[in-house]
Amino acid sequence: MPPKKQETMSNPYFQFKQFTIYHDQCAMKVGTDGTLLGAWTPVEAAHRILDIGTGSGLIALMLAQRSPSARITGIDIDEAAIRQARSNAAASPWGQRIEMVCKDVCRLGARQGRYDVVVSNPPYFVERVACPDAARHAARHTDSLSFEQLLLAVDNLLTEDGTFSVVLPADACNEFLATALHHQLYLHHQTWVHTRPAKPAKRVLMTFVRHPVATQTDLLIIESEAGVYSPEFIRLLKDFYIRL
């Protein structure tokens, strides 16, 4: 079954149709946030893709599957996660097109080239109560990578005609939009993610561009009823999840 939430899973790996993700050495495990972003992000005609906070390499591998000619770089500050991401990429059909880098994205200079697609499932908790697991705390909390730092990095690394896509809790949307606008990044597409039809949105998927544009807004419902995935969720993930 698809992962229900982004929490620690007892199984050390998650099997997709075309690749396997081992995540037992990573702070953040395979979860719905990452798989939604990997399937939703626009990658048409992408040549160079950057996955910020790649973790296990999940999103990088999903984008490699969806964009047959693109070269993908995953970046993360967690050394253990990068080691596992490298193993996951090497075992996939697209290992020759994927590079995993252990580095702070804020130190990644544009002299290494810009990217026409940048994607991130970033830290989003703002509480200052530290998680006992230091790596998990860094992966989940914005004191390791604030919205301002993330968007400054995107501004430095995105091509003029590129796109930046992100997944966030719904209640973080307005703060992120304001920070993006400060960096002249404009909302192009916004999808509100609801677990059920009658439930409020829990997550929001957003794509930004460098030039003002009309915003396309829609919604995605994960389950049409308890235990039954919606047709739109199945269409989005059917190329990845084995049981869809």
Side-chain angles (χ1 to χ4, degrees):
M1 293 294 289
K4 285 290 189 178
K5 56 185 178 180
Q6 198 158 318
E7 296 293 343
T8 301
M9 299 169 69
S10 57
N11 199 327
Y13 68 90
F14 193 90
Q15 182 69 54
F16 292 88
K17 285 183 176 177
Q18 296 191 40
F19 60 93
T20 303
I21 293 290
Y22 281 85
H23 54 190
D24 54 299
Q25 301 302 309
C26 302
M28 298 304 293
K29 312 305 180 184
V30 171
T32 304
D33 287 6
T35 54
L36 284 174
L37 185 62
W40 180 89
T41 294
V43 292
E44 294 80 6
H47 299 290
R48 299 188 76 219
I49 298 174
L50 177 65
D51 176 20
I52 299 175
T54 193
S56 64
L58 167 65
I59 295 171
L61 267 69
M62 292 182 73
L63 297 183
Q65 178 178 325
R66 293 181 55 215
S67 48
S69 62
R71 301 196 66 84
I72 297 108
T73 299
I75 187 168
D76 205 294
I77 60 173
D78 185 338
E79 293 182 5
I82 284 294
R83 286 195 297 269
Q84 191 148 59
R86 286 171 179 158
S87 296
N88 288 332
S92 78
W94 317 287
Q96 293 184 335
R97 295 193 285 116
I98 301 173
E99 178 187 22
M100 297 297 180
V101 178
C102 187
K103 193 171 187 178
D104 184 344
V105 70
C106 300
R107 298 178 181 273
L108 192 65
R111 65 180 180 278
Q112 296 175 261
R114 293 179 182 266
Y115 299 85
D116 45 19
V117 173
V118 179
V119 62
S120 184
N121 178 8
Y124 50 74
F125 288 112
V126 296
E127 294 87 351
R128 290 297 184 248
V129 178
C131 172
D133 183 330
R136 187 170 173 80
H137 177 87
R140 291 167 63 88
H141 290 75
T142 56
D143 55 354
S144 63
L145 182 67
S146 68
F147 291 164
E148 172 66 28
Q149 290 170 319
L150 171 61
L151 287 160
L152 179 59
V154 171
D155 190 17
N156 289 333
L157 295 166
L158 189 66
T159 61
E160 188 64 22
D161 296 319
T163 63
F164 166 55
S165 297
V166 64
V167 59
L168 289 170
D171 59 9
C173 179
N174 288 341
E175 177 188 353
F176 197 85
L177 286 173
T179 309
L181 189 59
H182 176 73
H183 290 280
Q184 295 183 304
L185 292 166
Y186 302 93
L187 183 62
H188 175 58
H189 187 187
Q190 180 180 53
T191 296
W192 296 99
V193 181
H194 301 252
T195 55
R196 304 264 181 84
K199 300 285 188 180
K202 291 290 188 181
R203 295 288 186 266
V204 61
L205 296 155
M206 296 184 285
T207 293
F208 295 85
V209 294
R210 286 195 179 276
H211 306 286
V213 65
T215 301
Q216 175 187 346
T217 301
D218 50 37
L219 61 86
L220 171 68
I221 295 169
I222 294 178
E223 291 184 337
S224 52
E225 57 183 274
V228 178
Y229 290 104
S230 70
E232 59 265 35
F233 181 84
I234 292 172
R235 282 194 298 270
L236 186 63
L237 276 304
K238 63 181 175 61
D239 291 337
F240 298 99
Y241 287 150
I242 291 174
R243 298 187 184 182
L244 290 185

